[in-house]
Amino acid sequence: MDFATYLTAFTGLFVIIDPIGAALIFNSLVPANDPRYGNTMAIKATIISAILLVGFGLYGEPLLHHLGININSVRIAGGLLLFYSAFGMITQGAETTTPNTQKTDISVYPLSIPLIAGPGALTLVILLFAKAPSVASDLAVFAAIISVLLLNMILMMLSKHLQRIIGHTGDEILRRFLGVILAALAVQFVYDGIKNLSANL
């Protein structure tokens, strides 16, 4: 497996999905007195998100090619979208959510979409798979997706304890730090897209 590709993919996905922030939001969406319900929602959301991210990553580029869209244009657009997400992470306050007092199925919305497999994550996996030069690199990206999602699921299951440890201030600091890293990754995508488009002219 290509470890360098794995590390790049893991870092990008960790930043855009933000498992710690997602776990804190998850904690506010599930009843505090029903851990079984919370665990079920976390597992279902992880499975759905894995299917969405892997499927979109593998077949997103052929779909774009069928539509006549150059992958480098997607790199530039995706980079701008990721930068917009990063800007929001850095400048905006933490999201406020209303506690879920009823046992409704929240695994698809809002957990899988848009919290875990949102537009930024879906765009990122297309770019990661498109950039992968070999089967080993594809496997590395796939392994990174599964790793981040499993970490995200574990943190959601432990979200009650995580809330006590990190608290509001810690979440705010982490959110802005990850936003800066995501902004740098977004600029790199835009740079690569412009460079490749220029080379093809």
Side-chain angles (χ1 to χ4, degrees):
M1 187 174 70
D2 186 346
F3 183 73
T5 299
Y6 172 83
L7 190 60
T8 299
F10 182 89
T11 303
L13 287 167
F14 182 87
V15 170
I16 190 66
I17 293 175
D18 184 14
I20 296 175
L24 295 176
I25 294 173
F26 173 81
N27 183 62
S28 69
L29 293 174
V30 297
N33 59 350
D34 195 346
R36 184 177 179 181
Y37 165 78
N39 291 344
T40 300
M41 291 299 101
I43 293 171
K44 285 184 66 176
T46 300
I47 294 172
I48 294 169
S49 299
I51 294 171
L52 286 172
L53 290 173
V54 173
F56 206 73
L58 290 174
Y59 301 108
E61 186 179 5
L63 175 62
L64 293 171
H65 180 73
H66 180 72
L67 295 173
I69 301 174
N70 190 300
I71 188 61
N72 292 304
S73 299
V74 177
R75 283 194 177 97
I76 297 171
L80 294 174
L81 177 61
L82 291 178
F83 188 85
Y84 177 77
S85 299
F87 184 78
M89 290 172 66
I90 296 169
T91 60
Q92 294 175 6
E95 297 179 46
T96 56
T97 53
T98 304
N100 181 29
T101 56
Q102 298 180 347
K103 294 182 182 179
T104 55
D105 192 336
I106 59 173
S107 59
V108 177
Y109 176 85
L111 290 185
S112 295
I113 304 171
L115 189 58
I116 303 173
L122 292 172
T123 302
L124 181 59
V125 292
I126 286 185
L127 299 177
L128 290 170
F129 275 109
K131 194 176 181 180
S134 63
V135 175
S137 298
D138 284 337
L139 290 175
V141 175
F142 175 78
I145 292 172
I146 300 303
S147 298
V148 173
L149 290 180
L150 286 177
L151 175 62
N152 188 74
M153 182 183 72
I154 292 170
L155 290 178
M156 285 195 295
M157 290 178 171
L158 299 175
S159 60
K160 186 186 300 184
H161 307 289
L162 188 67
Q163 177 69 46
R164 294 198 202 102
I165 295 171
I166 294 182
H168 177 74
T169 302
D171 181 43
E172 286 287 290
I173 294 171
L174 184 64
R175 184 186 300 270
R176 281 156 176 72
F177 174 72
L178 293 178
V180 172
I181 296 177
L182 182 59
L185 183 66
V187 171
Q188 185 63 48
F189 277 134
V190 173
Y191 171 78
D192 290 342
I194 293 174
K195 183 177 69 173
N196 292 335
L197 279 177
S198 302
N200 294 331
L201 291 178

